[in-house]
Amino acid sequence: MEVERSCEAWTPEYFMENESMCLERLSENSVWSSIPLLNCTELAHLPDGRLVRFRGMLQDMQDPECYLERYTVRCKSNQTVLRQQNGKYRDILVYNEAKELVDSGCNADNTFGERRSMFVVSIPGQNEWALEYEKQQNGVGSTIVSTEPANEEQRVVLKRSHEDEMEVEEATSATIDDLTTAAASPVTAKNEFKRMATSAPQASTTANGVTVLSADYLLNSPITERPGKACLVKLYNNYDDWTLNTVIEVVGFLSVDPALDGSGDSTGMDEFVDDVTEHQATHPPPSLIPRLHALSMRKLSHCNPLLLEADGLEAEQQGVTEATYKDLHNLFTQCLFGDRVAAEYLLCHLVSSVYIRDEVESRGQFSLNLSNIPTEVLPRYTHSLYELLELLLPASHYFAMTLENMNTMQFVPKKDYVTNKLTSGLLQLAPHTHLVLDETRLQAGKLESAGVEAVQHVAHLIKNQRLKYNFQFYQLDFNSDVPVLVLSEGRSMLPSNCNLPIIPDLDAIQLIDETIKAGRHYITPKLDEMRRFLTTARLRKFDMKTLDPTLVQDDFVRMRSADNAVTMDDLHALFVLARLIGVSRGQKVLLREHWERAKELEKERHNRLEMFVKRKSEI
């Protein structure tokens, strides 16, 4: 029996021989967290074949691909069989080109397998403090010794698509993709279909006329200002367990051999331009987008590095819940011009998430429109408020709704049939990434057709927590869970679950810049507690069945008697708010006091709305 190895010494062969034992070890958090995190580690410190982790959002799924799971290696001089070589968890054929040959075609001794590539990007909008904590927890400071075969072993690209021919000539130092391309037939119906696509990839053209896809296009981040990292994850089983936009952490063998780069494989293929471009997109430079052959994957419920395990800090949170809630409420009250009601609504928004979803609707989202923002006297206020939220949330994004941004930016993912790639859009965000839309930046002008479409996509996300992906010939809805905060002067043109006009204190307006600075200084020693509190409150299980249904029924009858326009949707909205009041205070069950507070807040909110409608009619 082989002696148990440390994780850094694992090879594909060792894992396959000891799969059960290795997976059991990976189930231990101490072992899992000891594996280098690719997000925080330079590739120069990670050799080809090293066991690594990558954390990110599943942005796209590629077509299944065929690979040589096992193949024959022969002696070059006399053709005798030397060994059966494993090809699983590798992109490269392993043999000595000077002395050996590989049977890469369909013969009785070769075994073909199927795997699927998933394009994973580092979590879009992850804030700087969260990234710094990740680096502190997972940084690798020293070079790691390689576990791959000796340098004299020449390796050849193994991957090929289902669309490639199954018969391949014996491989030497050329890639299998090169060999299949050389035998390719003339342009097929598939190529004609791809030419129907109208969107062109962002690309640069070299002096010799060869189109090279840009790094931004290949990285494909929803937030182009902060592209982060990306990884091509090769999955060997359980394909259907993973859906787009899921946040995952994967452990697998790193593959960064330079032979994987498809950007230089266009020689002699000018008549197949689309195929060349798609080849570059599916074979990006490994120095930019490394490959990772997955051994184990986990779905993450959050991206807060302060909470390695959400339940592990439950006892600690109970001790600081009340004080932390008060600190947050006071902070938001001061930074919202002394408006305690607005502070409570904002806190409810920050801990909101979808908790019920079916084919028709979702419940739990709490998009908030804070209106009556005095931007005429405070043009930078909205950005200062966002910078405060950025300190508290692990992932968020601020978007200025200028006419130029609305008319020119891509908001939803769109299929590019030339590269066979799902190009990302601004709204393709990981669950619980807070999106702050600054409508105060929208000035008089014309929304073009693209801008109108963008507004429709944002509205659809807010109302349904679903996002329409554009496949050009049709659209598909994908689930989302992105809390949206809209800051506006008047009532937003976007829908919301809750529109609340702020009632600012006049003295507070004059001192708001100093107030926000003082607030940032005050919370500095308490930031980690607040960050833990907000994430844990959202993750904590909450029981809504503890509230007496008779009480709810009687209240609903009174509401209907006072206003015939009240519907079941209004009752559901009140339930969501009452739940969020309990959640924001660190509770686990819905109490009568939460219900009563929800009714008080809604009464105050409706009074404000009526007051502003009356003012507007008098102008």
Side-chain angles (χ1 to χ4, degrees):
M1 182 177 178
E2 187 174 357
V3 177
E4 184 175 327
R5 300 183 186 180
S6 62
C7 293
E8 66 180 32
W10 288 5
T11 63
E13 288 74 22
Y14 177 82
F15 177 81
M16 293 173 68
E17 292 170 3
N18 305 274
E19 184 170 347
S20 297
M21 182 271 291
C22 290
L23 290 177
E24 184 177 349
R25 289 200 63 196
L26 289 176
S27 66
E28 302 171 15
N29 288 327
S30 59
V31 174
W32 184 279
S33 59
S34 69
I35 298 170
L37 187 66
L38 193 57
N39 307 66
C40 315
T41 311
E42 294 296 331
L43 276 179
H45 297 156
L46 295 169
D48 192 58
R50 176 63 158 94
L51 196 68
V52 298
R53 284 183 295 148
F54 187 73
R55 184 181 301 153
M57 182 190 77
L58 178 49
Q59 190 273 327
D60 190 12
M61 291 184 177
Q62 296 184 356
D63 295 333
E65 62 184 44
C66 228
Y67 74 100
L68 275 172
E69 188 171 349
R70 197 161 186 82
Y71 53 92
T72 302
V73 178
R74 299 179 180 274
C75 177
K76 200 170 189 177
S77 59
N78 56 23
Q79 303 295 307
T80 57
V81 175
L82 299 178
R83 65 184 182 278
Q84 289 294 311
Q85 178 67 47
N86 166 58
K88 195 173 183 180
Y89 304 116
R90 285 193 175 98
D91 292 292
I92 304 298
L93 296 178
V94 181
Y95 72 105
N96 188 325
E97 186 180 10
K99 302 177 181 179
E100 298 172 343
L101 295 172
V102 170
D103 286 342
S104 59
C106 296
N107 59 55
D109 295 327
N110 286 354
T111 303
F112 286 87
E114 181 181 285
R115 62 193 179 196
R116 189 161 188 180
S117 294
M118 305 190 307
F119 192 78
V120 182
V121 298
S122 53
I123 299 169
Q126 193 168 14
N127 287 323
E128 193 63 33
W129 69 264
L131 294 172
E132 287 302 316
Y133 269 102
E134 277 190 354
K135 290 177 182 178
Q136 293 173 21
Q137 294 169 353
N138 302 284
V140 177
S142 58
T143 303
I144 301 166
V145 179
S146 174
T147 59
E148 276 297 282
N151 291 335
E152 66 268 12
E153 295 287 325
Q154 301 298 315
R155 299 180 295 276
V156 183
V157 170
L158 170 62
K159 170 186 174 295
R160 60 181 185 175
S161 169
H162 274 304
E163 296 165 353
D164 294 336
E165 296 182 4
M166 294 300 292
E167 295 294 334
V168 184
E169 297 297 326
E170 289 186 351
T172 56
S173 59
T175 67
I176 284 185
D177 278 335
D178 287 339
L179 297 172
T180 55
T181 300
S185 58
V187 176
T188 62
K190 163 179 168 286
N191 296 333
E192 289 296 333
F193 176 73
K194 287 194 296 184
R195 286 190 171 89
M196 292 170 65
T198 58
S199 64
Q202 300 171 10
S204 58
T205 305
T206 60
N208 59 9
V210 176
T211 300
V212 178
L213 299 178
S214 69
D216 286 342
Y217 182 86
L218 292 172
L219 288 171
N220 203 19
S221 175
I223 302 174
T224 54
E225 308 96 277
R226 294 183 284 172
K229 294 185 178 182
C231 194
L232 203 56
V233 175
K234 306 294 182 78
L235 193 62
Y236 290 82
N237 50 39
N238 302 325
Y239 309 133
D240 297 331
D241 290 353
W242 310 99
T243 56
L244 290 181
N245 305 336
T246 303
V247 177
I248 62 172
E249 188 165 297
V250 55
V251 165
F253 291 112
L254 181 67
S255 180
V256 288
D257 194 289
L260 299 172
D261 186 356
S263 60
D265 294 345
S266 56
T267 305
M269 293 177 60
D270 292 342
E271 66 272 29
F272 305 112
V273 175
D274 286 351
D275 284 332
V276 175
T277 310
E278 179 180 342
H279 186 70
Q280 290 183 43
T282 55
H283 295 70
S287 57
L288 179 69
I289 302 174
R291 282 61 161 168
L292 193 60
H293 294 266
L295 305 184
S296 180
M297 291 174 59
R298 294 178 177 180
K299 180 179 178 180
L300 302 182
S301 59
H302 65 87
C303 61
N304 189 337
L306 296 173
L307 294 176
L308 297 178
E309 298 178 30
D311 296 331
L313 291 173
E314 191 71 23
E316 178 189 345
Q317 283 297 117
Q318 289 300 316
V320 298
T321 293
E322 186 175 350
T324 305
Y325 167 78
K326 289 181 178 178
D327 285 336
L328 282 166
H329 188 265
N330 289 335
L331 172 69
F332 293 147
T333 298
Q334 296 303 316
C335 296
L336 292 170
F337 311 103
D339 191 334
R340 298 185 64 82
V341 172
E344 194 158 357
Y345 272 104
L346 179 57
L347 194 46
C348 288
H349 165 75
L350 294 180
V351 296
S352 64
S353 65
V354 175
Y355 63 88
I356 295 177
R357 190 191 295 274
D358 57 33
E359 294 181 0
V360 179
E361 62 182 357
S362 57
R363 296 287 183 192
Q365 69 266 31
F366 193 67
S367 62
L368 177 63
N369 172 209
L370 292 179
S371 57
N372 199 35
I373 304 290
T375 51
E376 288 187 5
V377 292
L378 298 169
R380 275 194 48 83
Y381 169 73
T382 52
H383 201 271
S384 297
L385 180 62
Y386 171 73
E387 288 175 341
L388 184 68
L389 297 177
E390 197 176 28
L391 287 176
L392 300 169
L393 302 168
S396 62
H397 182 59
Y398 168 88
F399 180 73
M401 292 177 60
T402 64
L403 278 175
E404 181 181 3
N405 286 343
M406 298 300 293
N407 286 330
T408 60
M409 292 192 66
Q410 182 170 316
F411 279 74
V412 298
K414 184 177 182 180
K415 185 70 173 183
D416 185 342
Y417 288 99
V418 174
T419 60
N420 198 27
K421 191 176 181 71
L422 186 66
T423 59
S424 191
L426 172 72
L427 301 180
Q428 191 187 15
L429 299 172
H432 317 302
T433 301
H434 289 255
L435 180 62
V436 178
L437 302 177
D438 188 355
E439 195 175 306
T440 67
R441 300 287 301 277
L442 189 61
Q443 298 176 337
K446 182 182 178 181
L447 273 179
E448 305 293 344
S449 59
V452 173
E453 190 175 319
V455 171
Q456 293 172 345
H457 285 305
V458 176
H460 183 66
L461 171 68
I462 290 173
K463 290 191 292 186
N464 305 292
Q465 281 302 313
R466 289 186 170 93
L467 193 60
K468 290 186 179 295
Y469 285 39
N470 184 0
F471 288 86
Q472 300 197 41
F473 308 103
Y474 59 94
Q475 292 185 334
L476 277 181
D477 259 343
F478 284 83
N479 290 338
S480 186
D481 193 358
V482 176
V484 180
L485 172 64
V486 183
L487 304 175
S488 60
E489 296 180 68
R491 184 163 189 162
S492 173
M493 65 177 177
L494 296 168
S496 64
N497 298 113
C498 176
N499 167 228
L500 177 69
I502 293 176
I503 305 294
D505 181 277
L506 295 179
D507 293 333
I509 292 178
Q510 303 299 324
L511 301 172
I512 194 63
D513 290 337
E514 290 76 9
T515 300
I516 292 178
K517 289 178 183 178
R520 291 169 65 104
H521 178 75
Y522 172 73
I523 65 172
T524 298
K526 304 179 181 183
L527 272 175
D528 286 353
E529 288 179 3
M530 292 178 170
R531 292 161 175 168
R532 290 190 186 98
F533 174 83
L534 290 173
T535 303
T536 306
R538 177 178 57 78
L539 294 173
R540 185 183 289 114
K541 293 181 180 179
F542 192 84
D543 188 358
M544 298 181 64
K545 297 177 182 179
T546 54
L547 188 65
D548 183 0
T550 305
L551 173 67
V552 177
Q553 181 178 336
D554 292 343
D555 281 341
F556 183 60
V557 171
R558 280 192 291 269
M559 291 163 61
R560 288 277 296 170
S561 300
D563 185 358
N564 288 332
V566 173
T567 65
M568 285 298 296
D569 285 337
D570 296 314
L571 182 64
H572 283 306
L574 196 59
F575 256 116
V576 170
L577 179 59
R579 175 185 178 274
L580 291 174
I581 290 171
V583 168
S584 66
R585 298 182 183 190
Q587 301 297 316
K588 298 180 181 180
V589 296
L590 183 60
L591 303 176
R592 179 168 182 169
E593 64 184 78
H594 304 146
W595 177 256
E596 296 297 335
R597 182 56 180 161
K599 291 193 299 180
E600 292 172 6
L601 287 174
E602 282 297 275
K603 183 179 179 180
E604 169 64 20
R605 186 174 73 87
H606 284 291
N607 288 340
R608 291 188 183 188
L609 290 173
E610 290 175 5
M611 180 183 68
F612 274 84
V613 169
K614 185 177 180 180
R615 283 184 184 177
K616 189 173 182 180
S617 64
E618 292 174 351
I619 297 177

